[in-house]
Amino acid sequence: MTEPVTVVALHVAPGARLPVKSVDRVTVEAGKGIVGDRYHGTKHRHVSVQSATALAEAAELFGSPIDAAGTRRNVTVSHGDVPRQPGDRIRVGDVLLEVVRVAAPCKLLDDTLGRGALEALRRRAGSIFRVLEGGTIAVGDPVADEET
């Protein structure tokens, strides 16, 4: 039996280049994103999701641990692959998310984490989602694929 995928970390940043804050729970609004996050209210970039599995792979290539907060993604899930195909949907806690695009690693990663971090996270940086149904997401919440 496979272990269920769960939320292991949540991060929000009030503005560009401002530090991310680790939180236990977020409120997510349909069509807007995470309340208090820098991308709240943007057209499509509502929530970013990454996998601890991909972070571990990137850390192996990078040669040093990569903290989930260092990537500036909102949601980190325990394991497995984050959907990448536009239109794919996942339910995280109460919230229904739809993939918009694959997330590109931030160009500032080499400055903040160290030289080579950007390349290590390439194709491992998760996906960007829009919010179809709002609600709350908390650390420990289940994550499941949704049929479209």
Side-chain angles (χ1 to χ4, degrees), residues 17 38-39 45 62 70-73 101 103-122 125:
R17 297 184 187 243
R38 68 197 181 279
Y39 291 111
R45 186 187 174 105
F62 183 53
T71 64
R72 302 184 63 82
R73 299 291 177 247
R101 63 177 171 81
C106 176
K107 292 180 174 128
L108 297 174
L109 288 172
D110 281 358
D111 294 337
T112 58
L113 298 178
R115 188 178 179 102
L118 174 73
E119 186 57 36
L121 283 160
R122 195 175 309 281

Side-chain angles (χ1 to χ4, degrees), residues 8-147:
V8 295
L10 291 168
H11 296 95
V12 295
R17 297 184 187 243
L18 294 177
V20 296
K21 184 171 127 182
S22 180
V23 296
D24 293 329
R25 175 180 299 276
V26 292
T27 299
V28 184
E29 294 180 332
K32 292 187 177 182
I34 297 173
V35 174
D37 188 66
R38 68 197 181 279
Y39 291 111
H40 182 264
T42 60
K43 188 171 182 179
H44 298 296
R45 186 187 174 105
H46 298 158
V47 178
S48 54
V49 180
Q50 66 186 355
S51 170
T53 301
L55 284 178
E57 291 170 2
E60 191 173 315
L61 289 170
F62 183 53
S64 183
I66 298 175
D67 182 61
T71 64
R72 302 184 63 82
R73 299 291 177 247
N74 299 123
V75 179
T76 304
V77 300
S78 58
H79 60 280
D81 295 324
V82 173
R84 300 167 57 94
Q85 186 68 37
D88 284 354
R89 295 178 179 182
I90 59 172
R91 186 163 298 274
V92 183
D94 297 335
V95 178
L96 181 61
L97 302 175
E98 182 179 69
V99 175
V100 174
R101 63 177 171 81
V102 171
C106 176
K107 292 180 174 128
L108 297 174
L109 288 172
D110 281 358
D111 294 337
T112 58
L113 298 178
R115 188 178 179 102
L118 174 73
E119 186 57 36
L121 283 160
R122 195 175 309 281
R123 293 174 296 286
R124 295 173 188 86
S127 295
I128 303 300
F129 292 82
R130 74 176 54 111
V131 180
L132 300 179
E133 295 175 12
T136 60
I137 298 174
V139 171
D141 276 351
V143 178
D145 292 336
E146 286 273 317
E147 295 296 319

